Amino acid sequence: MENEIVRLISRYLELTNEEASAFAECIPIKSFKKGDILLREGQVCRDSYFVIEGCVRKYYIIDGDERTTAFYVEDESIASLQSYTNKTPANHYFECVEDCRLAVLNYEKEQELFKRVPKYEALCRMSMEDDFGEQQEALAKFITSSPEERYKNLLETRPDLIQRVPQYHLASYLGVKPESLSRIRKRIAKK
């Protein structure tokens, strides 16, 4: 049976047998339970992830409150780039919001893959450029919109999160209190 990670990478790259073996050896797929913490503030990030199944959130603790800044679902990459590449302590958390199956790549294995499969480095660079552009647009939209507009945008662009993520996490992600989100939802439902 073909390795699942090889099937996944083959969606993006044409692989030789040797390259497929390199991916199968270097990137295990692991299961995590809802509530598992993948990274804690103060830890140095040693792994990056690719979501096969499930949902992971990124959050910060500010003045004792959790502030959610991202959700990662199927076919999305997760990395604390500052911590991962510079070997510095992370200033945030990654938590599984659902049971998850994740492809796990640690820094040393990634460097090995870059040497064994040079075209993988180009794929990673292009992926990071796409992610960076999307993050820039998302930040600009967040800053320039009202909470109600943010919620409407969430309904349009990521409706799956409404069913998958607890309301208090969604409220934090939208920059409002849960009570405010309830009011926004009621106003929109009346329209």
Side-chain angles (χ1 to χ4, degrees):
M1 180 177 126
E2 186 181 34
N3 181 287
E4 188 172 9
I5 196 66
V6 172
R7 273 196 312 275
L8 180 67
I9 298 294
S10 294
R11 292 182 354 206
Y12 306 100
L13 293 175
E14 191 172 317
L15 300 174
T16 66
N17 289 338
E18 294 81 19
E19 292 167 339
S21 292
F23 283 106
E25 292 167 21
C26 292
I27 307 177
I29 295 173
K30 297 182 181 179
S31 294
F32 298 89
K33 294 286 185 197
K34 177 179 177 178
D36 283 354
I37 303 293
L38 304 174
L39 179 67
R40 294 181 188 283
E41 179 180 17
Q43 287 181 330
V44 174
C45 182
R46 303 198 187 291
D47 297 317
S48 62
Y49 305 91
F50 186 85
V51 181
I52 295 170
E53 292 175 18
C55 180
V56 174
R57 78 177 177 118
K58 177 182 181 180
Y59 68 94
Y60 295 76
I61 295 182
I62 299 172
D63 298 327
D65 291 327
E66 293 181 8
R67 306 273 176 91
T68 301
T69 59
F71 292 104
Y72 305 93
V73 296
E74 290 80 9
D75 291 335
E76 293 184 327
S77 300
I78 305 168
S80 179
L81 286 178
Q82 185 76 9
S83 178
Y84 185 75
T85 56
N86 297 324
K87 306 287 187 264
T88 57
N91 60 353
H92 57 271
Y93 296 76
F94 287 132
E95 175 192 26
C96 296
V97 177
E98 300 173 332
D99 289 346
C100 294
R101 289 184 62 244
L102 308 173
V104 182
L105 179 60
N106 74 31
Y107 184 82
E108 290 75 22
K109 292 292 185 182
E110 181 180 55
Q111 298 310 305
E112 179 183 330
L113 276 172
F114 288 159
K115 289 179 184 148
R116 290 173 69 181
V117 187
K119 60 189 169 189
Y120 179 61
E121 189 167 14
L123 175 67
C124 289
R125 180 185 49 78
M126 289 186 300
S127 176
M128 286 178 54
E129 288 170 353
D130 286 346
D131 287 349
F132 183 67
E134 288 172 12
Q135 289 298 317
Q136 283 183 316
E137 290 302 314
L139 178 60
K141 190 171 274 193
F142 184 88
I143 290 172
T144 60
S145 61
S146 70
E148 189 165 323
E149 290 168 332
R150 289 180 209 140
Y151 182 70
K152 286 178 180 176
N153 182 56
L154 185 68
L155 286 173
E156 291 172 16
T157 61
R158 302 196 69 189
D160 60 305
L161 291 180
I162 306 301
Q163 302 303 317
R164 298 175 78 171
V165 175
Q167 182 168 316
Y168 63 98
H169 289 327
L170 287 176
S172 171
Y173 179 65
L174 296 170
V176 299
K177 297 287 183 196
E179 310 79 47
S180 297
L181 179 55
S182 290
R183 288 191 293 274
I184 290 169
R185 291 173 84 162
K186 284 178 186 170
R187 275 197 306 272
I188 290 173
K190 288 180 182 178
K191 291 180 181 179

